Amino acid sequence: MPELPEVETVRRGIEATFVGSRVASVEITGVRTVRRQPADELVMRATGSVFTRTGRRGKYLWVGLDDAEALVMHLRMSGQLLAVPASADRVAHTHAVFRFEGNPLELRFVDPRTFGELFVTGLDLPELVRLGVDPIADRVGPKALGRLLAGRSTNLKALLLDQGVIAGIGNIYADEILWRAALRPDRPARTLSDSEVAKLHRAIKAILTAAIDARGSSLADQQYRDLEGEAGNYQLSHRVHARAGQPCRRCGESIVKLIVAGRSSYLCPRCQY
DNA sequence: CGCATATCCTGACTGC
DNA sequence: TGCAGTCAGGATATGC
């Protein structure tokens, strides 16, 4: 569910609400929530530490613990991070709860499908070195993007989804980016002209920036919520995602749904090439 | 290397 | 109303 814009929105919420607070206690109840290390180890390393800063790389979110270690979180398909009063009822699938000294709000990790995870690691984030460039946090120019595409026979959809190449783009934003760039998802990457690479570069920046400004996308199931439990607004600006049969906002042709790179992919068959 | 498939799960939705 | 089947924003392993 959450892609770069949603994770960035949650990161900003944690920055505003919990940075500067000292962890009073950590409760891990989900059996799969902490799986790279014993849950007790995470509890011990986090308890007593101050949330000193936040960061994001692709879809991974992290919090500095005393500026000495990092608490890394990934929401995967259904994870939510929520700031709620400690007295509030816990919803089903609440797998982790962080309480803080002098902060009336606690941080809860809720994840029905249990694909999400938490772990504590070093500030150099060795688990994240495999990730490719972050299109928002890193300065990625059109030439750098062109080098990532060069010589690859893989299609654009698979490439945009490959976290080892570009980190943070998921199924919704890949489709929205490719529509904006007027490029088909099944187009082999190495066939792009310089001007098409430039268009793709502009579309990545524009779509992700607009989606962050809109605080992310909440689909019909309302599963994505920000730290305050509020829905995002970027779904109102979607041009292709989940719009099969509806008219293209650029040329009027019916949007179609294909499977590309094993994922549902929406595109305009007339104005994407 | 690239690609399809299966897998980890729960829940919402569809069609009978 | 119930029930089976399908699908879902992600990431990874496997086999061809």
Side-chain angles (χ1 to χ4, degrees):
Chain A
M1 141 208 183
E3 306 180 29
L4 188 156
E6 291 77 31
V7 177
E8 177 63 16
T9 301
V10 172
R11 184 196 68 76
R12 292 177 183 183
I14 291 175
E15 177 82 28
T17 302
F18 294 111
V19 163
S21 292
R22 185 180 300 277
V23 177
S25 66
V26 182
E27 191 179 341
I28 306 290
T29 50
V31 291
R32 285 165 45 82
T33 304
V34 181
R35 43 187 185 263
R36 300 197 189 212
Q37 60 207 164
D40 288 352
E41 185 185 322
L42 181 147
V43 171
M44 297 230 318
R45 288 165 77 174
T47 303
S49 298
V50 172
F51 273 22
T52 43
R53 55 182 159 140
T54 63
R56 181 192 57 71
R57 180 137 199 102
K59 301 171 196 168
Y60 287 85
L61 168 60
W62 58 271
V63 174
L65 300 173
D66 286 343
D67 264 341
E69 293 192 297
L71 167 66
V72 182
M73 300 172 266
H74 197 302
L75 305 174
R76 294 286 184 101
M77 293 286 269
S78 63
Q80 295 179 332
L81 286 164
L82 299 169
V84 291
S87 59
D89 287 343
R90 287 188 191 179
V91 299
H93 310 295
T94 300
H95 300 314
V97 178
F98 293 78
R99 293 192 196 80
F100 299 86
E101 294 176 7
N103 191 326
L105 299 177
E106 59 185 29
L107 176 64
R108 298 185 184 174
F109 177 66
V110 178
D111 184 16
R113 293 177 72 180
T114 73
F115 296 162
E117 64 165 332
L118 312 179
F119 59 93
V120 172
T121 190
L123 267 184
D124 51 343
L125 305 170
E127 289 85 354
L128 310 192
V129 296
R130 308 174 313 98
L131 294 176
V133 295
D134 185 296
I136 294 298
D138 299 333
R139 287 213 182 85
V140 186
K143 283 182 186 168
L145 181 64
R147 284 193 292 274
L148 293 175
L149 305 182
R152 288 180 177 262
S153 60
T154 189
N155 63 54
L156 292 175
K157 180 71 179 264
L159 189 126
L160 289 178
L161 292 177
D162 187 340
Q163 303 301 298
V165 179
I166 302 171
I169 296 170
N171 203 39
I172 294 177
Y173 295 110
D175 284 0
E176 294 299 321
I177 286 164
L178 291 169
W179 179 85
R180 175 134 180 166
L183 294 165
R184 289 182 62 93
D186 50 6
R187 177 86 175 269
R190 64 181 173 203
T191 66
L192 266 60
S193 67
D194 286 351
S195 69
E196 286 174 325
V197 171
K199 274 166 75 177
L200 181 60
H201 175 261
R202 287 195 298 272
I204 290 170
K205 294 270 185 189
I207 295 288
L208 295 179
T209 301
I212 291 168
D213 289 347
R215 306 182 61 80
S217 300
S218 293
L219 302 188
D221 62 9
Q222 295 291 300
Q223 205 157 89
Y224 164 68
R225 296 295 180 131
D226 68 14
L227 194 74
E228 288 75 41
E230 299 286 330
N233 297 304
Y234 194 71
Q235 68 280 1
L236 302 173
S237 298
H238 289 179
R239 292 293 182 261
V240 281
H241 181 77
R243 291 191 67 244
Q246 296 177 53
C248 174
R249 295 249 159 87
R250 195 162 42 209
C251 77
E253 180 77 2
S254 275
I255 299 301
V256 300
K257 176 183 177 178
L258 301 179
I259 302 298
V260 181
R263 311 292 299 278
S264 291
S265 302
Y266 299 88
L267 69 145
C268 174
R270 185 191 287 171
C271 65
Q272 289 177 250
Y273 294 93

